[in-house]
């Protein structure tokens, strides 16, 4: 079976379970924390995949990384299911799939703006308004970064869409045009 299909099925089941328990928002936050923990600590995945680490220790590690409290029964029950089915090593992929499902169900777009220099508050506010209009009523998770390699301008990524209004891109396009003639 496809490695992407199994985590997606578990994430879908978790979303349905959380929906029944009216806990989708809390699970979303826990999965977001967990996904960030995987990104920030590369050894987390290898520890979960290690067959010599006890399953209870793995569960405790996941609960700690996600920031789950003792009252998060939905998360606890889900991790017990993963332990029973020997799928704890798929937690990273499941957390990402859950985030995708939740965002899709709640019409949330992930927006990343990368600029050559820090944007002014007014400039960022205008850009956010333009992006919100593009989303047609959907909400967004907005992050901004600075990348001096852009030389000037900015890029906007919304899900799979990308607008590149950077000087480095303009120079690249100019170079390609000159080479093609």
């Amino acid at each position: 079976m496809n490695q992407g299909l199994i985590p997606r099925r578990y994430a879908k089941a978790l979303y349905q379970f959380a929906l029944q328990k009216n806990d989708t928002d809390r699970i979303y936050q826990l999965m977001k924390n967990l996904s960030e923990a995987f990104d920030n600590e590369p050894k987390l995945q290898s520890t979960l995949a290690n067959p010599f680490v006890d399953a209870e220790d793995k569960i405790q590690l996941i609960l700690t990384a996600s920031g789950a409290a003792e009252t998060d029964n939905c998360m606890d029950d889900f991790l017990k299911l993963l332990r029973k089915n020997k799928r704890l090593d798929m937690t990273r992929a499941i957390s990402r799939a859950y985030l995708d499902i939740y965002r899709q169900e709640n019409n949330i777009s992930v927006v990343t703006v990368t600029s050559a220099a820090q944007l002014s508050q007014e400039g960022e506010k205008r850009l956010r308004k333009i992006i919100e209009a593009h989303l047609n009523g959907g909400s967004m998770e907005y992050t901004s970064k600075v990348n001096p390699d852009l030389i000037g301008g900015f890029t906007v990524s919304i899900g799979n869409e990308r607008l590149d209004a950077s000087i480095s891109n303009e120079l690249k396009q100019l170079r390609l045009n000159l080479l093609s003639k």
Side-chain angles (χ1 to χ4, degrees), residues 44-153:
L44 185 55
Q45 180 61 43
S46 61
T47 302
L48 292 178
N50 187 337
F52 298 109
V53 176
D54 185 56
E56 279 304 314
D57 292 337
K58 291 178 183 181
I59 288 176
Q60 204 52 47
L61 185 62
I62 295 167
L63 289 171
T64 302
S66 68
E70 287 184 26
T71 56
D72 291 317
N73 296 328
C74 192
M75 182 73 159
D76 195 46
D77 290 347
F78 182 68
L79 291 176
K80 287 177 183 173
L81 174 69
L82 291 181
R83 178 187 62 210
K84 179 183 169 201
N85 294 339
K86 297 180 181 7
R87 300 284 192 202
L88 287 170
D89 60 326
M90 292 187 160
T91 306
R92 180 180 200 167
I94 293 169
S95 68
R96 288 186 175 167
Y98 184 89
L99 294 175
D100 291 342
I101 291 167
Y102 182 90
R103 287 173 180 144
Q104 185 177 5
E105 291 294 321
N106 292 284
N107 198 19
I108 300 171
S109 298
V110 176
V111 177
T112 305
V113 174
T114 307
S115 57
Q118 187 67 39
L119 296 173
S120 67
Q121 281 186 334
E122 186 179 309
E124 193 163 356
K125 197 175 187 179
R126 279 194 337 225
L127 191 57
R128 284 178 82 125
K129 270 188 171 181
I130 293 168
I131 294 168
E132 285 173 357
H134 177 72
L135 296 176
N136 296 324
S139 60
M140 68 174 152
E141 289 181 3
Y142 180 90
T143 54
S144 62
K145 300 178 193 174
V146 174
N147 180 357
D149 292 342
L150 295 179
I151 303 171

Side-chain angles (χ1 to χ4, degrees), residues 14-24 27 73-74 77:
L14 175 59
Y15 184 80
Q16 292 301 321
F17 181 61
L19 200 58
Q20 289 173 357
K21 300 287 185 183
N22 199 25
D23 210 11
T24 55
I27 296 297
N73 296 328
C74 192
D77 290 347

